[in-house]
């Protein structure tokens, strides 16, 4: 502010009617304006560095500063030039003085407002630089608010999931049937359900030498739309896109000495990962024909204490 007042004094002195050479004084005015512009630019840069804004507004600020500098030079130089053309017209001198003083003062006010340490929303923007700064800060605030809301939502979901998992005895859940899938499996046999639910199928092979399980060939619809449900709750011990001859397969340890294995699923269709706890009836993947398979079908195996058993003795699969 003190600097700007000094500048005003200079301008007033050079515009005195008795001043000898007007072209000299107008050059002086322009030089003074440029000096001031450089000063403003330097202080702008310092402020930009000190503020260290999260978003990159350096380019916008530089453009804003350039505009302010140009406006300052033009505001001082043009009236001064006009004054030189009009010779010793006193009224023109007054105009030069007034205009120059007005410019200097209005810029000083803007400079002061910008320098003050205030929040983004507590003052109104006056220059292009300030408008850009306020906009950037507003965007940053909005982003931060969105991020907070997202984090809160995630935390809530995690909490709900934890609550579900700690419920203890897992009851049979109804898989999502919002799509055009078969209805959820309901028929249980000794605590097991049919891994194909109510989808149509026929059994082509059973447990025998050279075949470790039962093959359930689907008939009702496109195979890759037929979901495979966990026959019982448990922990996923295998979930792989290439599990030996089984191809895409999932194996579940039911925690009671029994395990089930589901093979030949469609690539990329697995819904669970090794280590996941799955509820009975939860979709674990979709029927396919991967691995050693010649037709779309579900190959299911059941083990009791590590020994293969006939799946039809345990699962309600007919
Ligand atoms: Zn098989």
């Amino acid at each position: 502010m003190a600097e700007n007042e000094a500048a005003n004094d200079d301008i007033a002195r050079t515009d005195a009617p008795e001043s000898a050479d007007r072209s000299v004084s107008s050059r002086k005015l322009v030089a003074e304006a440029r000096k001031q512009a450089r000063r403003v630019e330097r202080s702008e840069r310092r402020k930009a560095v000190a503020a260290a804004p999260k978003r990159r507004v350096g380019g916008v600020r530089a453009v804003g500063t350039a505009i302010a500098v140009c406006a300052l030079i033009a505001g001082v130089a043009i009236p001064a030039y006009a004054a030189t053309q009009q010779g010793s017209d006193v009224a023109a001198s007054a105009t030069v003085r007034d205009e120059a003083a007005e410019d200097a003062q209005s810029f000083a006010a803007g400079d002061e407002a910008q320098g003050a340490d205030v929040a983004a929303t507590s003052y109104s923007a006056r220059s292009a630089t300030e408008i850009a700064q306020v906009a950037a800060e507003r965007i940053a605030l909005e982003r931060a608010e969105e991020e907070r809301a997202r984090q809160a939502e995630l935390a809530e979901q995690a909490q709900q999931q934890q609550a579900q998992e700690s419920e203890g005895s897992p009851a049979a859940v109804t898989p999502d049937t919002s799509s055009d899938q078969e209805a959820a499996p309901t028929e249980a046999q000794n605590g097991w359900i049919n891994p194909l639910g109510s989808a149509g199928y026929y059994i082509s092979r059973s447990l025998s030498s050279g075949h470790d399980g039962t093959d359930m060939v689907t008939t009702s619809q496109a195979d890759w739309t037929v979901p495979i449900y966990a026959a019982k709750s448990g922990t996923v011990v295998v979930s792989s896109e290439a599990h030996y001859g089984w191809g895409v397969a999932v194996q579940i340890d039911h925690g009671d000495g029994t395990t089930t294995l589901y093979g030949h699923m469609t690539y990329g269709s697995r819904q669970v990962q090794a280590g996941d706890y799955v509820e009975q009836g939860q979709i674990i993947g979709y029927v396919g024909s991967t691995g050693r398979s010649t037709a779309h079908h579900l190959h299911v195996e059941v083990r009791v204490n590590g020994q293969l058993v006939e799946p039809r003795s345990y699962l309600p699969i007919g």
Side-chain angles (χ1 to χ4, degrees):
M1 198 64 192
E3 285 175 347
N4 288 315
E5 272 166 5
N8 286 351
D9 290 347
D10 285 348
I11 289 164
R13 262 202 305 281
T14 53
D15 280 337
E18 285 74 28
S19 186
D21 190 344
R22 292 210 172 271
S23 67
V24 167
S25 61
S26 74
R27 272 204 299 276
K28 220 169 155 188
L29 277 174
V30 172
E32 188 59 40
R34 283 191 180 139
K35 219 162 96 185
Q36 194 177 351
R38 278 197 296 274
R39 224 166 25 230
V40 168
E41 199 174 8
R42 272 199 302 278
S43 88
E44 280 288 317
R45 282 198 192 126
R46 276 198 300 276
K47 268 180 230 152
V49 171
K54 282 174 190 169
R55 283 170 52 78
R56 296 182 59 185
V57 295
V60 179
R61 288 178 68 100
V63 170
T65 305
I67 291 167
V69 168
C70 288
L72 191 67
I73 290 169
V76 175
I78 291 168
Y81 176 73
T84 11
Q85 297 303 91
Q86 284 168 23
S88 61
D89 189 338
V90 178
S93 291
T95 304
V96 170
R97 185 162 53 242
D98 292 345
E99 292 258 349
E102 208 179 306
D103 279 342
Q105 276 168 356
S106 70
F107 191 86
D111 193 40
E112 195 179 40
Q114 216 171 3
D117 186 19
V118 292
T121 51
S122 69
Y123 64 94
S124 58
R126 293 176 206 191
S127 70
T129 305
E130 282 180 295
I131 289 164
Q133 193 181 359
V134 169
E137 282 171 8
R138 235 170 237 161
I139 288 166
L141 283 172
E142 279 169 20
R143 293 257 165 97
E145 190 55 47
E146 281 169 19
E147 181 63 18
R148 262 198 299 279
R150 207 172 64 82
Q151 293 293 346
E153 202 178 322
L154 284 174
E156 201 181 329
Q157 281 175 0
Q159 216 167 19
Q160 283 175 355
Q161 203 172 356
Q162 210 167 24
Q164 276 177 1
E165 282 170 4
S166 62
E167 267 173 19
S169 59
V173 293
T174 306
D176 183 14
T177 52
S178 55
S179 58
D180 58 348
Q181 303 297 346
E182 290 293 320
T186 50
E187 191 190 348
Q189 174 181 300
N190 302 322
W192 300 85
I193 61 164
N194 185 328
L196 288 183
S198 55
Y201 67 92
Y202 64 89
I203 290 174
S204 63
R205 290 181 79 183
S206 286
L207 183 70
S208 60
S209 65
H211 193 245
D212 293 345
T214 296
D215 288 343
M216 304 169 73
V217 183
T218 50
T219 58
S220 60
Q221 52 188 300
D223 303 285
W224 48 267
T225 67
V226 178
I228 301 166
Y229 306 98
K232 213 175 184 180
S233 63
T235 304
V236 176
V237 290
V238 170
S239 179
S240 170
E241 286 287 282
H243 191 50
Y244 307 104
W246 295 286
V248 179
V250 166
Q251 187 170 21
I252 300 169
D253 184 340
H254 303 292
D256 57 359
T258 64
T259 64
T260 48
L261 184 146
Y262 313 81
H264 311 312
M265 294 180 185
T266 294
Y267 285 119
S269 73
R270 287 173 300 126
Q271 305 294 302
V272 294
Q273 297 298 321
D276 285 355
Y277 181 85
V278 293
E279 303 283 355
Q280 184 178 51
Q282 187 175 329
I283 293 176
I284 56 175
Y286 288 81
V287 173
S289 185
T290 56
R292 242 187 353 259
S293 169
T294 53
H296 282 75
H297 71 285
L298 168 63
H299 169 100
V300 62
E301 296 177 8
V302 178
R303 284 175 178 77
V304 177
N305 298 321
Q307 298 299 308
L308 282 167
V309 295
E310 170 52 54
R312 281 188 286 184
S313 303
Y314 289 80
L315 306 180
I317 56 176

